[in-house]
Amino acid sequence: MALKSPVDFAGSITSGQKDPCCFGVPGCNPRCVRYNKKSRTCRLVTRAISVDRPQLDFSNSDWKKQFQEDFDRRFSLPHLKDVIDVEPRPTTFSLKSRTPLENVNGSMQGSWNGYVNDDDRALLKVIKFASPTSAGADCIDPDCSWVEQWVHRAGPRKQIYFEPQYVKAGIVTCGGLCPGLNDVIRQIVLTLEKYGVKNIVGIQHGFRGFFEDHLAEVPLNRQVVQNINLAGGSFLGVSRGGTNISDIVDSIQARRLDMLFVLGGNGTHAGANLIHEECRKRKLKVSIVGVPKTIDNDILLMDKTFGFDTAVEAAQRAINSAYIEAHSAFHGIGLVKLMGRSSGFITMHASLSSGQVDICLIPEVPFTLDGPNGVLQHLEHLIETKGFALICVAEGAGQEHLQQSNATDASGNMILGDIGVHLHQKIKAHFKEIGVHSDVKYIDPTYMVRAVRANASDAILCTVLGQNAVHGAFAGFSGITTGICNTHNVYLPISEVIKSTRFVDPNSRMWHRCLTSTGQPDFH
């Protein structure tokens, strides 16, 4: 099956049965939208990512070669020289000098290995699964054959495609706030200066800053950004929407930008990719490089995005408060709602790290509220056996229990129903109905967890991502983003990372660990 775009497959499936359309499709995500309690069947809508690969005949001995050739084509990095004549020059970047190298004759010291070779690769997947039924298995063929999938290693190159003294670089932060934005801005500026770039500007309030006259460019240099990492938020401001691609590229030309660093999530990266494609159409020597930003950790192919660790850490304060409230009250129930529109990574990791959560509810795993296998029945059991309970729910979980609206926000995201308020009301009504006292405390720290300063782990990640973004731009790449795959820093084509949202795999070992930690049953 060669899918060309995200596709909905509708069907029904018995609870616990595997979805037959998912085999061999990375990122396939069955979602229950209507659960029948009597027949224990679930109306599914399966989101499958575009894999853009040829239909494979596994009986053909060359199928693996065919797959790898297609993979190499898709993950080849777009480069300026693909569309314009541009000659490289020796890099001005060196760790041995306090200032950018000048008058380099091209004979870099062979003994110093600080540069990354263009042919360096890292493996995208490193586990050889023995069976499709193995936890978290992601198989290409029915035999789960091992297939090497190599992606480009990130870092500084010996050859660059810009003259730093003539470069004008821009930085823009889009979407919502995220811990670490200022760390990335700061590191991009410092690395650009290390190359010898003197003209660096910030675009205010996301893509809106390209076409609103009152939002002037913000000149950036070491002195300006030196301490901005000590605060949360974005030094440049953020906003959603405003992606009129033609107008943005017109503005890029008018501003004479040579590089644009775009910090944002899936929607922002989709916009950045369109900007890159428009620049290619116009044959502009402009490098568009993304830096993946989301506390939801939902960007495809990457181990982790910056802001996620800090958000999980900040969520601990809310969970701890809810635990204290629940534990201190007679029949106390603590309910915490965390961010996660379609992916439950924050909720899962916060529940795991807390060790106090009894019920973890995420968008990827449907659940029932009523009935013998429902959440409310399990709450009764917890109150009877331990006297209190703690629930952690992602904002996108259980939307099938809420009335749906077709309203969208400025980024085009569906406006969700409030599962936290709904659960709060259902829990209170249920215990009142059965005549059992309950004391429910609801905590919603959603925006608090993203407004804080980056912790040490995220600050390091932001430093690495900011530096590699600059290295990628000077190497002549455009339409790329930088991230971590299996602990290695890599470059990926934006077109590949925006094909789907990254989801928690309910068959993964991490979700199994979460279930073991909470002790919760299957709510079907």
Side-chain angles (χ1 to χ4, degrees):
M1 183 188 302
L3 305 174
K4 297 302 181 185
S5 61
V7 176
D8 288 344
F9 295 96
S12 64
I13 187 170
T14 303
S15 177
Q17 182 182 351
K18 280 191 174 291
D19 181 13
C21 78
C22 274
F23 182 79
V25 182
C28 191
N29 183 51
R31 297 289 300 277
C32 181
V33 294
R34 192 178 301 114
Y35 183 70
N36 187 312
K37 288 182 284 187
K38 290 184 178 179
S39 63
R40 297 195 72 192
T41 61
C42 185
R43 170 73 174 174
L44 291 180
V45 172
T46 299
R47 296 291 292 174
I49 69 166
S50 167
V51 291
D52 257 353
R53 72 186 186 207
Q55 293 186 359
L56 300 174
D57 178 7
F58 296 123
S59 64
N60 184 340
S61 59
D62 288 335
W63 75 262
K64 190 179 295 188
K65 178 183 177 184
Q66 183 184 6
F67 176 88
Q68 288 180 317
E69 287 175 350
D70 179 68
F71 182 89
D72 291 343
R73 175 187 60 79
R74 291 190 294 116
F75 282 83
S76 176
L77 300 180
H79 198 280
L80 294 173
K81 62 186 178 184
D82 297 338
V83 292
I84 60 175
D85 291 329
V86 56
E87 293 295 327
R89 59 148 293 170
T91 186
T92 55
F93 177 82
S94 173
L95 299 177
K96 288 193 170 186
S97 171
R98 285 191 294 269
T99 58
L101 296 175
E102 295 180 2
N103 301 320
V104 181
N105 60 13
S107 58
M108 302 298 293
Q109 299 93 328
S111 60
W112 188 59
N113 62 353
Y115 301 110
V116 172
N117 192 291
D118 281 338
D119 294 328
D120 282 1
R121 299 291 185 271
L123 275 172
L124 184 65
K125 301 180 185 298
V126 295
I127 298 177
K128 182 184 186 300
F129 292 102
S131 164
T133 60
S134 187
D138 181 8
C139 301
I140 295 168
D141 71 323
D143 295 325
C144 249
S145 300
W146 169 253
V147 182
E148 295 177 358
Q149 300 174 59
W150 298 100
V151 292
H152 292 251
R153 187 180 172 210
R157 268 56 173 175
K158 282 187 177 183
Q159 301 290 319
I160 60 176
Y161 287 81
F162 291 91
E163 293 288 344
Q165 66 268 34
Y166 302 124
V167 164
K168 182 179 181 182
I171 307 171
V172 62
T173 56
C174 307
L177 290 181
C178 178
L181 280 169
N182 288 333
D183 300 68
V184 178
I185 294 169
R186 177 178 182 272
Q187 209 48 233
I188 289 175
V189 171
L190 298 186
T191 310
L192 283 167
E193 289 194 349
K194 185 70 175 174
Y195 273 91
V197 178
K198 295 185 173 17
N199 193 356
I200 310 168
V201 298
I203 308 299
Q204 294 191 72
H205 295 290
F207 290 131
R208 189 181 302 275
F210 280 106
F211 50 82
E212 299 221 1
D213 294 337
H214 67 283
L215 296 176
E217 293 178 350
V218 179
L220 301 174
N221 56 45
R222 177 179 289 270
Q223 288 70 38
V224 172
V225 304
Q226 187 63 51
N227 297 317
I228 64 172
N229 60 311
L230 302 181
S234 170
F235 178 73
L236 298 176
V238 295
S239 72
R240 297 188 182 277
T243 51
N244 185 315
I245 302 305
S246 181
D247 289 349
I248 290 174
V249 178
D250 287 345
S251 179
I252 288 173
Q253 285 188 269
R255 296 167 189 265
R256 299 184 180 277
L257 290 177
D258 303 289
M259 299 176 180
L260 179 64
F261 300 95
V262 184
L263 284 58
N266 281 308
T268 300
H269 271 65
N273 197 53
L274 292 174
I275 294 170
H276 155 72
E277 290 176 350
E278 180 65 21
C279 288
R280 283 170 75 93
K281 285 180 185 176
R282 301 188 189 187
K283 297 189 183 303
L284 303 179
K285 189 183 178 183
V286 179
S287 181
I288 309 294
V289 178
V291 182
K293 169 231 74 173
T294 167
I295 64 170
D296 289 346
N297 202 33
D298 61 353
I299 295 185
L300 200 63
L301 305 175
M302 297 183 185
D303 293 359
K304 184 172 64 176
T305 51
F306 78 82
F308 174 68
D309 273 356
T310 306
V312 171
E313 187 176 296
Q316 293 303 301
R317 302 185 187 97
I319 292 175
N320 188 53
S321 297
Y323 168 77
I324 292 172
E325 289 282 355
H327 185 262
S328 302
F330 176 64
H331 288 182
I333 298 174
L335 173 61
V336 180
K337 184 183 78 172
L338 298 174
M339 283 188 164
R341 293 184 55 84
S342 54
S343 300
F345 288 102
I346 288 181
T347 303
M348 177 177 69
H349 282 255
S351 298
L352 265 170
S353 56
S354 162
Q356 303 298 336
V357 174
D358 298 297
I359 299 174
C360 174
L361 304 174
I362 61 174
E364 295 87 344
V365 181
F367 58 88
T368 55
L369 287 173
D370 303 301
N373 299 308
V375 171
L376 298 175
Q377 183 66 42
H378 187 55
L379 272 177
E380 281 186 51
H381 170 74
L382 291 169
I383 293 299
E384 290 173 4
T385 56
K386 58 184 284 193
F388 69 97
L390 182 56
I391 307 172
C392 198
V393 59
E395 61 177 325
Q399 291 297 302
E400 61 270 21
H401 299 292
L402 306 173
Q403 185 167 355
Q404 302 296 312
S405 75
N406 293 321
T408 57
D409 63 20
S411 296
N413 299 313
M414 187 73 70
I415 295 177
L416 302 175
D418 196 325
I419 186 62
V421 170
H422 181 73
L423 277 176
H424 186 199
Q425 294 170 347
K426 288 284 288 186
I427 293 168
K428 291 178 70 174
H430 175 78
F431 279 91
K432 183 177 181 180
E433 183 181 334
I434 64 174
V436 175
H437 173 80
S438 69
D439 190 350
V440 187
K441 296 295 192 297
Y442 175 44
I443 297 177
D444 179 359
T446 47
Y447 289 102
M448 293 175 64
V449 304
R450 70 180 197 175
V452 297
R453 173 188 173 187
N455 65 11
S457 173
D458 271 328
I460 293 170
L461 178 57
C462 291
T463 297
V464 174
L465 294 177
Q467 290 181 4
N468 281 334
V470 176
H471 295 321
F474 266 104
F477 300 122
S478 181
I480 67 164
T481 191
T482 181
I484 300 178
C485 290
N486 293 308
T487 73
H488 293 284
N489 298 293
V490 302
Y491 294 133
L492 299 167
I494 294 178
S495 57
E496 289 300 317
V497 303
I498 61 174
K499 285 183 174 177
S500 168
T501 299
R502 179 177 176 235
F503 301 105
V504 172
D505 179 2
N507 187 41
S508 67
R509 285 293 300 127
M510 189 59 79
W511 177 244
H512 293 174
R513 294 180 187 114
C514 187
L515 296 180
T516 301
S517 175
T518 61
Q520 70 192 60
D522 182 7
F523 294 124
H524 281 171

